[in-house]
Amino acid sequence: MRFSQLGVILGCTAVVCGLIAPLQAKAVNYQVKSGVTSVYHDLSYLSSIGLNLTGTNNTVEPINSDFIVGFDIDPTTNFTFSDTGSFTPLSGTIKHTGTVTFNNQTTIGNFAISFDSTRAINNASGLYLKDTYSLNTILFDLSAPENVTLNGNNLTLNKVNLLFSPEFAKIIGNPSLAGNLAGVARIDAKVVPANAVPEPTSTLAFLAAGVGLLVVKVKKQI
């Protein structure tokens, strides 16, 4: 009898150990709350295709001097992602404030970054940047970030290529530009967990307590 009871205890202990590992490895979902998206464009190149930057409004300082303009991430942003593979988009939109004007006549801005898996072709990741101010169209497809850093509540997506979308290339009268490099962006965001995942330590304590009660019960039966 005692050998049988000992086997039960050891078996439960093994189950606890087996449960802890997957709980610790479970992916966490996050939501973007605020931050800044910094953008660099080769202005001479844009000028050569007929796009001359002539003004900005309600923009902010970029994260550093490698970029020429920054856009605040709006508090109404509802973009979520998983830390699976360091960064996996899930749903929602990163909303921005701020506009830029080209050729003293066309103003675009209040940009929205969203994800559509059907756009993940060639060098595009499925992320895209849309103008919501005037044209209401997708301007750029985004490449996967070259570097992703998730540290606590801080997310950085660095070296994201901006690729002319087919829609924008058509609007500016040069469809052959689709997929060509138009600039580089970096997203620096404050994020918060979007799902509640039990802490590994508290889960271990809970399961260990259960095993302890089982041991006491078995001992009383011996």
Side-chain angles (χ1 to χ4, degrees), residues 110-195:
N110 294 344
F111 302 113
I113 295 177
S114 302
F115 178 76
D116 179 354
S117 60
T118 65
R119 299 186 72 94
I121 56 177
N122 299 325
N123 296 318
S125 66
L127 291 168
Y128 61 86
L129 185 149
K130 182 178 181 179
D131 162 53
T132 68
Y133 184 81
S134 62
L135 301 178
N136 195 36
T137 193
I138 296 173
L139 304 180
F140 306 110
D141 286 296
L142 277 56
S143 73
E146 187 173 318
N147 302 111
V148 177
T149 303
L150 180 58
N151 183 11
N153 292 330
N154 298 296
L155 170 72
T156 298
L157 305 179
N158 198 13
K159 296 185 179 180
V160 179
N161 290 334
L162 305 177
L163 311 172
F164 279 108
S165 72
E167 297 90 336
F168 191 33
K170 185 177 180 180
I171 286 175
I172 61 181
N174 192 346
S176 65
L177 286 174
N180 285 3
L181 181 65
V184 180
R186 169 173 162 165
I187 300 172
D188 290 89
K190 295 291 184 181
V191 302
V192 295
N195 61 348

Side-chain angles (χ1 to χ4, degrees), residues 20-43:
I20 291 300
L23 282 172
Q24 289 176 322
K26 184 175 181 180
V28 179
N29 295 344
Y30 293 88
Q31 180 173 338
V32 172
K33 300 299 292 183
S34 62
V36 61
T37 295
S38 304
V39 176
Y40 168 80
H41 288 292
D42 183 339
L43 298 182

